[in-house]
Amino acid sequence: MNYTTAVSVVIITVPHSHPAVRVEKHKNTWKTGDGGRRDCACVLSGDTSIATSEDNMAKATTIKEALAKWEEKSGEKVGEAKAVKLYGQIPPIEKMDASLSTLINCEKLSLSTNCIEKIANLNGLKNLKILSLGRNNIKNLNGLEAVGDTLEELWISYNLIEKLKGIHVMKKLRVLYMSNNLVKEWGEFVKLADLPSLVDLVFVGNPLEEKYSAEGTWIDEATKRVPNLKKLDGTPVIKHEEEEREGES
């Protein structure tokens, strides 16, 4: 497969039996020359590479294969490493399989820019503190309960998440980056208030945020519902009571 880089799109030349495929930036779906759509298009940082699981193309990379490549490149053993980077595999990883259980000492795991649809097999990662899953095809948060007692940061922007069911298990979660997902209702957003340690949230690019930012009320409405936040979308949160005290002094 040949890869050609453009400024904001990536053009791939595929075998003769396939139409040319164009990937739009920040989309997780192929738009094909025949008018169809195929899931799983992942653009790497800087739009310099892409990964695809198109049928009849290269077989998906397994976690076991990705770990073997990482060991060879890093010179570390997966059972000893504290930080493991499996992002941007070509062909992409599609499943979080049982091979993840070998990461017994891992504190930071990066699986971003692949084509993962489900969070799974995190049971063996007893020391995991940071999990990076941005730019995949993840639709829900099921599977996080396995690391609910240890995870402090979850990076899961650019996915397909609409519902936040199951988020309450993350009792130690301090940082949640989930921009550019599909959350559109306050009823889902308020579930973040069940996270007692959450202080830093990035939510820009969700339909809910876009709607209320357009009205100029996003910050007020969001922080009213999740009052423990200290930073929202990169901006420090100033509490109204603090403003009042400053005015009195």
Side-chain angles (χ1 to χ4, degrees), residues 28-144:
N28 283 59
T29 304
W30 291 116
K31 288 189 175 182
T32 63
D34 60 3
R37 298 174 70 87
R38 293 185 174 90
D39 290 335
C40 204
C42 307
V43 184
L44 292 184
S45 178
D47 293 349
T48 55
S49 308
I50 65 154
T52 175
S53 66
E54 168 79 38
D55 288 343
N56 300 321
M57 290 187 183
K59 183 180 178 182
T61 299
T62 65
I63 294 289
K64 184 177 181 179
E65 291 167 343
L67 288 173
K69 288 193 292 184
W70 180 84
E71 278 190 331
E72 182 178 0
K73 182 178 180 180
S74 68
E76 297 184 63
K77 296 295 184 182
V78 296
E80 301 171 358
K82 290 188 175 182
V84 177
K85 301 176 181 179
L86 305 180
Y87 58 79
Q89 297 293 309
I90 299 178
I93 296 169
E94 294 183 358
K95 294 182 179 180
M96 296 173 64
D97 62 41
S99 296
L100 288 171
S101 63
T102 59
L103 303 178
I104 55 176
N105 286 310
C106 185
E107 296 181 1
K108 180 179 180 180
L109 174 61
S110 178
L111 285 162
S112 59
T113 316
N114 281 291
C115 290
I116 296 166
E117 294 187 359
K118 295 180 180 179
I119 301 170
N121 289 299
L122 294 174
N123 304 70
L125 283 75
K126 302 299 184 183
N127 298 298
L128 193 65
K129 295 180 180 179
I130 302 175
L131 178 59
S132 174
L133 287 168
R135 297 182 184 276
N136 279 286
N137 291 331
I138 296 169
K139 299 177 178 64
N140 59 61
L141 299 175
N142 295 337
L144 287 175

Side-chain angles (χ1 to χ4, degrees), residues 186-212:
W186 286 120
E188 295 301 318
F189 184 84
V190 295
K191 293 175 183 177
L192 298 177
D194 294 332
L195 304 178
S197 302
L198 184 65
V199 293
D200 187 355
L201 173 66
V202 175
F203 212 76
V204 67
N206 281 272
L208 182 67
E209 178 275 331
E210 291 176 337
K211 176 182 178 181
Y212 285 90

